[in-house]
Amino acid sequence: MSRVISTGSEWTFELIERYDREIARVAADYRLDTYRNQLEIISAEQMMDAYSSVGMPVGYAHWSFGKQFLAVENRYRRGQMGLAYEIVINSDPCIAYLMEENTMTMQALVIAHAAYGHNSFFKGNYLFRTWTNADAIIDYLLFARRYVQECERRHGEEAVELVLDSCHALMNHGVDAYRRPPRLSAEREAARQREREDYLQRQLNEIWRTVPRRTDTRRADAPERFPAEPQENLLYFVEKHAPLLEPWQRELVRIVRKIAQYFYPQRQTQVMNEGWATFWHYTLLNTLYDQGYLSDGFMIEFLQSHTNVVAQPSFQSPYYRGINPYALGFAMMRDIRRICEAPDDEDRHWFPEIAGRDWVGVVDFAMRNFKDESFVSQYLSPRLIRELKLFAILDDEARAELEVTAIHDERGYRQVRRALADQYNLGSQQPDIQVWSVDRRGDRSLTLRHNRYRNRPLDDSAEEVVRHLARLWGFEVRLEEVDDEGRVRKVRQCDPPR
Amino acid sequence: MSQIIDRRLNGKNKSAVNRQRFLRRYKAQIRKAASAAVSGRSITDATSGEKVNIPTRDIAEPTFHHGAGGRRETVHPGNTDFVAGDRIARPKGGGGGGSGRGDPSRDGTGEDEFVFELTRDEFLDCFFEDLELPNLVQREIKEMLSHRTVRAGYSRQGVPANINVVRTLRGALGRRIALRGPYRERLREVERELEELEDQGLGSSARAIELREEIRRLRTHIEAIPFIDDFDLRYNHRIRVPQPSTQAVMFCLMDVSGSMDEARKDIAKRFFILLYLFLLRSYERIDVVFVRHHVTAKEVDEHEFFYARETGGTVVSSALKLMDEIVRDRYPLSSWNIYAAQASDGENWGDDSTTCRELLTERILPLVQYYAYVEITPDRHQSLWAEYEAVAAEHEHFAMQEIASPADIFPVFRRLLARKPA
């Protein structure tokens, strides 16, 4: 009797269940550890909704999501874009969306990719473990939406929108990169909110008390710096120390900050996360095929869309959009497996610690303990550099021409690997901006410092962001750009809007 | 075990509120786009949605990010013939983003402009806003077709309240007759035979008993036929038909002499569109006839109507005469409702205005349902206004208005709206 699960392209709930059961069985054989799964069947319109709320299953209302929606809808209508066939939410249970228009093959692909690939990554990777609480996020988002609604009712949509706009502008600077955040809990969040409001206000009054009660001689001769150390979490600093914000405004800042933190790991693990999920849908479905559960027709459809996903156009192609994280991540994961299973001398030289080891354990270790930057610098092999024909280009504004600094040859491997890893370093993508000082005694102005990375200046939109920050801070805000040698190169400043 | 949930029946308009907020925030730009669209599109096309372009930089959300400059090293795939140390001329347009170079937009237009579609309702909202229509009116116009329920025969399905008793009983009677027929016939035969037997004194013979038994059986059969059965039931059938079932013709009359500039024509266009929308609400089919005039009048197509330029003097009566001819020629009153909208800057040759009044009162006003006149003029009124005022005083369905901006248009239709379409 044939074990083939299905041959047609139509899906049914029974078939989805059967595929899911078989995929789960194979995934367990490979020791994939996942959260529980929740597969949700949705329509194309709902997919567009999910799309435009940047992957939050529940979100507060904001025009920027509307803009996102219009853009998605328009591109979809004009046929410029197929909808991504999967969106998966880092939550427990892990929610994966299956679009009703998909064929059975695509549904199975999405289940393998999202519900077992991404899911196990969410559960295993150290960044996600540290920065996100999968079991609490949905509740927190619900709490956030209700709170924003409540604020809109009490203070008007306009007022709320102003605060949210400003927070969104600073969203990427709302995370402490080196401190583990406390766990999320919507309940506690709501219960303690009132308490916190009062407390915050009291604390603020303390900080901003300008008339000294006691004459303290120590203060006069050595004015304390505030903050004592530069602060990288701008939103946190605003939430705790902005002099004029109302308690509800602070709470909104906090909400945006918490959501930013939830997305923080995703920005740093794109290659790994997609590579991992792609590697596993490929491995799981191939295993099922080898076991006789999948038909040839299924595999051909699957391979076709898999190939599209991992296509990497060369830099000269009109379709080139930079390195495709799916392609790079998938290639690296497979390469690791190859190094484990069939290492050659070069691999033994470069990767003595994994060559010949059990590949399932090795990829699992890699998934758990790295982010894109470290993953590339640890595992990108010379052979893969050759296969992808990677080369590095240096663009230095001081020089008239670009320079090819390294290519896929013996002398260039390390250089290419270092350059590629650096490309995924959050520090190179995102400007390093910190709270430098606050003039507590004088005009209460806030000074930020941007330490230029490789002397790269800020884009002009920084002006606009400073304006947003000034709105939250309530007093003048200055942004100083400091170059490699520590000299202040450019100062932007902005008074708060009247 | 995974849980599978069917969410397809959940609402799909989760983003509707966000969409509304976006539209509200960029109202100014969207209104501008909608306004430009009004000038660009045909009068009869006033009710479709509209594509709106907003410059991307206007709606960008600012963040701190790196600009051009400094040193950046990027890695690219697919090297063909570079070797380390090669120098390449910097491609035009800067170094591109952190990953990837070259232009980020495939079609070249997608990046500078944010393009999206307004729905019909959103578009009309923008349009109405210019015109400052009262809310109630806005709603009525948008509600394109009203429906009327009419009787349409009888149906086998329906609710008890709609049972048509006469039909039902007539059907039941017919059925009873039809079903009883064969039994009755047989009954008559058997009774006759039994009677004969009894006459012959064989009333207690075996045959007679058999016959009596059959009679009894036939009677039971006949009685078993129900008085009324499910399939006898007939219900009054009602269907909804679109209310506007008649046709109308709308005359657009416009002065195209040199003094009507683009801005005035644009206001006039909104005036015509608004009338068209009013009519759309009440009529299934609307013809639009464009008559433009300076010294002489001419029937033209829409494009020529709005865009062709003429100079010279103005004889308004020429247009009225032409309209009168067209009506008598092509639009018999028996099958057409006639509306007219006239826009002018009020200029007319001295003694022509009197002719106009006579034409209107004697020939045209008896024909039309409504005649709206707008005068787009910054100057003082000339003779035409005075003559028309005299007409307006005598006729209910003649409305006139002086307008300086689109917001002034609406009052001229106030009376038209007050009347319910027949």
Side-chain angles (χ1 to χ4, degrees), chain A residues 461-475:
Chain A
S461 68
E463 204 100 10
E464 196 70 20
V465 186
V466 171
R467 212 167 303 149
H468 278 298
L469 185 55
R471 176 149 75 203
L472 294 174
W473 186 250
F475 294 94

Side-chain angles (χ1 to χ4, degrees), chain B residues 384-397:
Chain B
L384 191 63
W385 182 262
E387 294 293 338
Y388 272 22
E389 268 185 328
V391 178
E394 288 169 34
H395 297 272
E396 263 284 284
H397 60 300

Side-chain angles (χ1 to χ4, degrees), chain A residues 106-125:
Chain A
M106 293 307 290
Q107 307 290 30
L109 170 58
V110 173
I111 292 171
H113 182 91
Y116 294 90
H118 283 305
N119 187 346
S120 57
F121 194 85
F122 291 148
K123 191 167 180 189
N125 182 265

Side-chain angles (χ1 to χ4, degrees), chain A residues 275-489:
Chain A
W276 175 259
T278 307
F279 173 76
W280 280 111
H281 78 227
Y282 182 80
T283 307
L284 294 175
L285 292 181
N286 269 304
T287 307
L288 278 179
Y289 177 67
D290 293 341
Q291 294 175 353
Y293 287 97
L294 307 179
S295 68
D296 290 349
F298 180 104
M299 284 310 274
I300 287 181
E301 188 186 346
F302 154 66
L303 284 173
Q304 200 220 349
S305 75
H306 170 79
T307 313
N308 284 338
V309 167
V310 298
Q312 174 64 68
S314 91
F315 78 103
Q316 287 162 315
S317 156
Y319 301 107
Y320 181 58
R321 297 283 176 284
I323 288 180
N324 175 357
Y326 290 81
L328 179 64
F330 177 66
M332 285 184 66
M333 291 289 176
R334 286 197 80 194
D335 198 45
I336 294 175
R337 180 174 176 178
R338 182 193 60 78
I339 293 169
C340 293
E341 288 184 327
D344 56 19
D345 290 344
E346 186 185 48
D347 297 323
R348 284 196 199 90
H349 174 69
W350 283 72
F351 302 101
E353 71 286 358
I354 63 168
R357 293 262 307 280
D358 163 39
W359 71 267
V360 176
V362 172
V363 293
D364 186 68
F365 178 83
M367 175 273 280
R368 285 178 191 278
N369 299 299
F370 292 85
K371 56 183 174 181
D372 284 351
E373 181 195 4
S374 51
F375 180 65
V376 168
S377 70
Q378 180 75 20
Y379 290 110
L380 186 66
S381 74
R383 180 200 277 245
L384 192 57
I385 294 176
R386 285 195 302 273
E387 271 172 17
L388 293 172
K389 295 193 167 67
L390 296 178
F391 65 105
I393 286 203
L394 178 69
D395 178 354
D396 188 338
E397 68 175 335
R399 285 193 273 172
E401 289 173 322
L402 307 180
E403 187 191 340
V404 177
T405 45
I407 66 161
H408 42 94
D409 59 11
E410 204 59 48
R411 284 183 304 146
Y413 294 142
R414 284 184 197 282
Q415 168 82 359
V416 167
R417 186 155 88 171
R418 192 200 46 70
L420 186 59
D422 188 58
Q423 205 164 301
Y424 292 109
N425 172 8
L426 202 58
S428 80
Q429 293 168 358
Q430 186 178 298
D432 168 26
I433 294 174
Q434 309 199 349
V435 176
W436 183 250
S437 68
V438 173
D439 184 0
R440 277 203 290 174
R441 300 297 181 83
D443 59 5
R444 298 185 169 188
S445 66
L446 172 73
T447 304
L448 303 177
R449 276 206 164 176
H450 168 225
N451 296 308
R452 285 191 180 176
Y453 179 82
R454 300 183 151 212
N455 212 17
R456 278 151 72 174
L458 286 179
D459 186 79
D460 286 339
S461 68
E463 204 100 10
E464 196 70 20
V465 186
V466 171
R467 212 167 303 149
H468 278 298
L469 185 55
R471 176 149 75 203
L472 294 174
W473 186 250
F475 294 94
E476 190 186 281
V477 172
R478 259 194 310 278
L479 170 63
E480 303 173 348
E481 286 194 48
V482 182
D483 67 8
D484 294 354
E485 279 105 50
R487 285 174 310 204
V488 174
R489 294 294 292 269

Side-chain angles (χ1 to χ4, degrees), chain B residues 151-163:
Chain B
R151 298 178 65 149
Y154 306 94
S155 137
R156 286 171 180 275
Q157 277 101 40
V159 292
N162 283 343
I163 289 180

Side-chain angles (χ1 to χ4, degrees), chain B residues 57-128:
Chain B
R57 61 171 190 289
D58 285 5
I59 58 167
E61 295 162 79
T63 54
F64 286 128
H65 54 263
H66 287 127
R71 287 186 311 282
R72 71 182 76 215
E73 195 170 14
T74 48
V75 175
H76 303 279
N79 181 23
T80 47
D81 39 32
F82 294 136
V83 294
D86 276 1
R87 300 292 171 99
I88 315 162
R90 187 171 270 131
K92 291 195 177 57
S99 61
R101 5 170 268 177
D103 66 330
S105 147
R106 193 178 312 178
D107 46 19
T109 56
E111 288 298 299
D112 305 333
E113 303 234 294
F114 184 79
V115 185
F116 61 95
E117 300 256 337
L118 286 181
T119 63
R120 170 179 175 273
D121 277 9
E122 285 162 350
F123 175 74
L124 285 181
D125 277 339
C126 287
F127 178 70
F128 292 153

